Amino acid sequence: VEPVLLKGVSHLASGLYADPAMRFMSDIDILVPGDRVQECWHLLLSRGYQAHGPADFAPLRDLPALVRDGFTADVEVHHPSEWEAVMDSPALYLDTEPVTLSGGKARILSPTSRMIFTLAHSYVHHAAQVRTHPPLRDLYDATLMMRRRGDQVVWPRVMDAFHQAGQGEALR
């Protein structure tokens, strides 16, 4: 399985940040196909990772983060069906590009899909957690993407993704 890197790790893998030390991260988010999530999660357990809390493989639930002694970041294994609104569209995760990191293979979302995911995670996902303002880090990520890769973002597709999910107001 080639995981899709999400959020901070995808921004670092894509070269969005000229200096990786500029992007603070407390976890590594990866996306795997829903029918392979248990397999991938258990593979990490077999490699020395340990779970925080009980494992719940219900389709719409988050899996516990995985930690490993000697590593500073947790690993969170995600699957598309755990999210709602804009981030639950399977099409969002089909438009990916390959990356190689330390000899391993993974994928990152295309600039358009990464912009949709970043904005949706910031505005829609965090709004469900009753935050009054989107996280500044997500807004900075989106700003960097606009400045450095804005010409590669299909903006009507970004707007359509939010409107089709009934979240068009988030873009105002």
Side-chain angles (χ1 to χ4, degrees), residues 11-106:
H11 299 317
L12 293 177
S14 72
L16 183 63
Y17 284 80
D19 180 355
M22 295 296 295
R23 180 51 162 85
F24 175 79
M25 290 179 14
S26 60
D27 61 12
I28 296 170
D29 294 276
I30 62 173
L31 179 83
V32 298
D35 62 344
R36 306 278 309 268
V37 69
Q38 289 187 30
E39 173 189 351
C40 294
W41 196 78
H42 283 289
L43 179 64
L44 289 169
L45 287 175
S46 74
R47 300 286 196 260
Y49 286 85
Q50 297 176 343
H52 280 270
D56 184 354
F57 291 110
L60 297 177
R61 303 285 299 208
D62 289 340
L63 296 171
L66 297 165
V67 296
R68 185 171 173 185
D69 288 340
F71 289 80
T72 57
D74 295 355
V75 175
E76 293 189 7
V77 180
H78 298 283
H79 50 100
S81 60
E82 76 182 65
W83 288 305
E84 296 179 14
V86 182
M87 298 176 356
D88 72 345
S89 170
L92 182 64
Y93 307 106
L94 296 177
D95 192 11
T96 62
E97 303 168 355
V99 293
T100 301
L101 303 169
S102 302
K105 293 182 179 180

Side-chain angles (χ1 to χ4, degrees), residues 97-124:
E97 303 168 355
V99 293
T100 301
L101 303 169
S102 302
K105 293 182 179 180
R107 302 192 76 75
I108 58 172
L109 297 174
S110 70
T112 299
S113 291
R114 199 159 9 118
M115 181 63 78
I116 293 167
F117 187 92
T118 298
L119 294 173
H121 187 267
S122 178
Y123 288 100
V124 178

